[in-house]
Amino acid sequence: MIRVAGLSVSYGAVRALRDVSFDVPTGQVTAVIGSNGAGKTTLLRTISGLVRPAAGSIDFDGLELVGLRTEAIARRGIGHVPEGRGVIEEFTVLDNLRLGSLHGRGKLAAGLETQFELFPILASRRKQHAGTLSGGERQMLAMARALIAEPSVLLLDEPSVGLAPIVTRDVMTTIRELCVDRRLTVVLVEQDAMSALQVADRAVVLHVGEVVADAAAEVVRADENLRHYYLGVAT
């Protein structure tokens, strides 16, 4: 389990997160949703060590993550797929996966076999440069590059950005299957809130850096009073 408690992050005079607290249950998908500027990406970057908080703690199975370097957090089993795919376009699919395995806990050959089973299209594209892949294929590669390190937690930032609805559906299905079949813990930041709520177990709703809801996904989905926080519509 990840337990975020009293987390605050500032960029100069701008407070991006304000006293954020919530739990991420092991083996579940926790969706973090909210409008643009709500602090969703900052939250993931803080968990993975890319941003240092002004206050608060992040406990991961008894280990305090605040203050650890990003590489140390990755070695502890937390993978991060940033917004914008996060692949090296000049590298081949295979080279991207090899790079992802550097901080891994298993053997490269076994890791490649596992990822090619999970994402068969990548097996046929293994010698192809990442920059020539479609948007959906690049998203699959970004996820595979993180998963080949065998993390126990996967932080996913806006995996549906720029994807067609049918590809988004496939990506969300894969996220759900990773949780159910492999007991992977997923923190899913997603602008397409309704898609995220369909596959999530729990949902945290952020609004201008503060938690306005933390409940089961079906509860958040059914609460019309919350929709303007993540859909931008009046209720």
Side-chain angles (χ1 to χ4, degrees), residues 87-138:
V87 300
I88 300 177
E89 295 187 354
E90 296 78 12
F91 283 12
T92 65
V93 167
L94 192 56
D95 287 339
N96 269 279
L97 293 175
R98 284 172 175 154
L99 185 63
S101 72
L102 292 179
H103 295 299
R105 296 181 282 185
K107 293 184 178 180
L108 175 60
L112 289 172
E113 182 178 354
T114 298
Q115 297 314 308
F116 288 151
E117 288 177 359
L118 185 61
F119 303 104
I121 190 65
L122 296 182
S124 64
R125 303 278 198 271
R126 68 181 71 194
K127 295 183 179 180
Q128 198 168 318
H129 286 89
T132 66
L133 301 178
S134 69
E137 291 165 351
R138 265 183 273 186

Side-chain angles (χ1 to χ4, degrees), residues 158-180:
E158 304 280 13
S160 76
V161 168
L163 301 184
I166 191 170
V167 180
T168 295
R169 184 194 64 195
D170 291 343
V171 168
M172 293 298 169
T173 298
T174 299
I175 292 168
R176 187 68 218 167
E177 290 173 349
L178 286 168
C179 172
V180 173

Side-chain angles (χ1 to χ4, degrees), residues 6-76:
L7 202 65
S8 295
V9 173
S10 296
Y11 298 114
V14 178
R15 183 66 63 88
L17 297 175
R18 299 174 177 84
D19 195 28
V20 169
S21 299
F22 65 95
D23 291 344
V24 178
T26 300
Q28 295 187 13
V29 178
T30 298
V32 179
I33 57 178
S35 60
N36 287 333
K40 305 184 299 295
T41 291
T42 294
L43 176 62
L44 289 197
R45 288 172 61 84
T46 306
I47 293 173
S48 65
L50 293 169
V51 172
R52 186 68 59 91
S57 66
I58 306 169
D59 181 280
F60 175 44
D61 290 340
L63 173 70
E64 176 57 57
L65 298 184
V66 173
L68 294 182
R69 294 173 62 86
T70 301
E71 309 91 90
I73 293 173
R75 283 194 294 269
R76 293 287 183 170

Side-chain angles (χ1 to χ4, degrees), residues 204-221:
V204 175
V205 183
L206 290 180
H207 178 62
V208 291
E210 297 182 350
V211 175
V212 294
D214 176 11
E218 62 264 26
V219 172
V220 172
R221 191 167 61 242

